[in-house]
Amino acid sequence: MRAAVIETPGKLSVTTVPDPEPGPGEVVVEVDACGICGTDIHIVDGDFAPAPYPIVPGHEFAGRVAALGHGVTSLRVGDAVAVDPSLFCGSCHYCSLGHGNLCEDWNAIGNTRDGACAEYAVAPVANCHRLPEGVTAAQAALIEPLSCAVRGFDRLPRKLGEHYLIYGAGTMGLLMAQLARRGGATSVSVVDLNEERLKVAEQLGADATATTADSLSHRHGWEVVIDCTGVIAAIEDGLSRVRPGGTFQQFGVAPGEATASFSPFRVYNDEITIVGSMAVLHSYSRAVELMGSGAVDADTMISDAFPLDSYEDAVRKFRAGTGRKLQILPNSTHQSQDGSR
C-alpha cells in the first residue's frame, strides 16, 4: 500500500510499505479521511519524544472496515467507522485508577505506532466506532479532536449562564467554542491573531472576537478562560482575565520546557481554579454521538483535502496557518480547497 512515512525528523516521503495484517481482536480500516494536527508536525520536527522512526503519521481518521482479525464479531467488512487512536496498557497505576490518558505505557495509533496517512491502517476493534447515519468520513475524521474537547469540558466545573473566553481559533478553539454554546454559556468570546480564523469563529456562533482581549468588553472578566494555543503570552494573559471564583483551563500544548508567570496571591485570594486536560478519556463515544447530532459544524471547519501524494504540501500549508482543518484522503487522487471534497 501507499503511505506517508516520516523516515527521520525532517525527512518525509510517500512510498510503498507492506499492507497491514489484523491480529486477533483487530481490524484493518481502509482510510477515507485523516486529519493533520499539531502533534503530527511535532513528530515531523522530532519534537514528540514518544515517536519512533520511521513512522506513518495520522491519528484523526475514519474509513471502512476492510479485513477482520480472529475473534472479531462486532463489526463487518464494509462498516463505516471512526477510530479512537488511544492505546492504554490497562494495568499500570493510572489505568487502574481509570486515568488511561495518563498511562505509564501510553501509546497511540499515528503517534507511537503506524497511523492512518496511508491507504490502510490497523486498529483494535474496541477502538472502532460505527458512524451514525449521515456522518461522512470527512466529518468523522474530526471526532478524535472533538473527543479531546469533550474531555476538556469534563474537567471544567461548569455552570449554566457563564461567560467564556477562548484563546485560539484553530481546530480546538473552534470546537471548544461550539461546545460552550451548546453547553449553556451565556456568551463565548474568541481571541486569535489570525483575523481570517476569527471570521470562522463568528460564523460558528462566537458572540465576540478580537485580536486582543483588551478589545473585548467584559469589565469583570470571564468565569471560564480556556487556552487552546499553548503560547506562553496567551496563557499569561488568559490567567489575568479570569473572574474571581472562575476557572482557567490549560488545553493547548505548550513546549515541555516552557514556563509561565502568574500571581500565586491572586490564585489564592480570588479562588481561581486552574485545570489541565490531556487527550481523550472516556469521551470518544460521546464525541461520536455529538457529531451525529450536529452539535458541531464540521464542514465549515474543514478547509482543504489533499491526496496522499500531496502530504508534504499539506504539511507546508499547516505550518503557514492559512487553512482551517486540513485532511488527507489516502484513497483519492482529488485535491480540493475551501471545504469542497
Side-chain angles (χ1 to χ4, degrees):
M1 69 172 183
R2 299 280 289 169
V5 179
I6 305 172
E7 304 283 355
T8 58
K11 184 180 179 182
L12 304 176
S13 65
V14 178
T15 186
T16 300
V17 300
D19 291 345
E21 296 287 340
E26 294 181 333
V27 303
V28 171
V29 176
E30 183 176 355
V31 182
D32 290 325
C34 180
I36 294 182
C37 134
T39 302
D40 300 318
I41 307 305
H42 291 313
I43 294 173
V44 171
D45 292 341
D47 295 332
F48 188 76
Y53 297 93
I55 186 171
V56 176
H59 61 277
E60 304 175 1
F61 69 105
R64 290 156 289 148
V65 175
L68 307 175
H70 177 72
V72 175
T73 59
S74 58
L75 290 175
R76 297 178 297 178
V77 170
D79 282 347
V81 295
V83 180
D84 179 354
S86 302
L87 303 172
F88 308 147
C89 76
S91 59
C92 73
H93 172 73
Y94 295 104
C95 284
S96 71
L97 295 175
H99 288 288
N101 61 329
L102 305 180
C103 175
E104 295 173 358
D105 189 27
W106 178 90
N107 282 277
I109 299 166
N111 290 344
T112 63
R113 301 184 185 180
D114 282 343
C117 279
E119 292 175 317
Y120 297 92
V122 67
V125 66
N127 291 52
C128 297
H129 299 253
R130 278 198 189 89
L131 297 186
E133 192 71 28
V135 174
T136 68
Q139 294 165 347
L142 267 170
I143 289 174
E144 192 279 340
L146 178 58
S147 70
C148 294
V150 172
R151 170 60 181 163
F153 273 82
D154 287 347
R155 296 280 291 144
L156 290 173
R158 290 177 290 136
K159 297 178 181 177
L160 292 173
E162 293 182 314
H163 298 272
Y164 280 64
L165 174 61
I166 296 172
Y167 284 74
T171 296
M172 298 317 306
L174 294 175
L175 287 172
M176 297 296 269
Q178 291 176 82
L179 291 183
R181 294 296 294 166
R182 190 175 179 91
T186 293
S187 72
V188 179
S189 301
V190 179
V191 173
D192 196 294
L193 297 177
N194 187 322
E195 294 188 359
E196 290 302 313
R197 289 186 172 180
L198 291 179
K199 292 177 183 177
V200 180
E202 292 171 2
Q203 185 179 345
L204 294 174
D207 297 283
T209 63
T211 55
T212 69
D214 286 334
S215 302
L216 299 169
S217 177
H218 254 272
R219 183 167 57 89
H220 298 293
W222 289 261
E223 284 93 355
V224 181
V225 177
I226 303 172
D227 173 69
C228 294
T229 71
V231 175
I232 298 305
I235 294 165
E236 292 176 341
D237 189 66
L239 278 162
S240 73
R241 309 289 178 173
V242 184
R243 281 184 177 180
T247 300
F248 178 84
Q249 180 170 83
Q250 187 53 51
F251 189 92
V253 182
E257 71 282 2
T259 60
S261 298
F262 66 97
S263 167
F265 177 81
R266 181 167 183 263
V267 172
Y268 145 76
N269 194 64
D270 290 353
E271 294 195 337
I272 303 299
T273 299
I274 300 176
V275 297
S277 180
M278 209 290 284
V280 179
L281 184 66
H282 311 311
S283 55
Y284 200 93
S285 60
R286 285 178 288 152
V288 172
E289 293 185 350
L290 282 166
M291 187 64 73
S293 75
V296 300
D297 182 351
D299 290 338
T300 295
M301 293 183 60
I302 302 167
S303 64
D304 299 83
F306 295 82
L308 183 60
D309 284 337
S310 297
Y311 182 75
E312 290 189 64
D313 293 335
V315 168
R316 281 191 288 270
K317 180 149 191 172
F318 186 100
R319 290 186 191 277
T322 55
R324 299 185 294 279
K325 173 53 72 175
L326 311 181
Q327 293 185 338
I328 302 296
L329 311 182
N331 286 286
S332 171
T333 59
H334 175 66
Q335 180 167 327
S336 64
Q337 295 180 334
D338 298 325
S340 61
R341 290 171 296 282

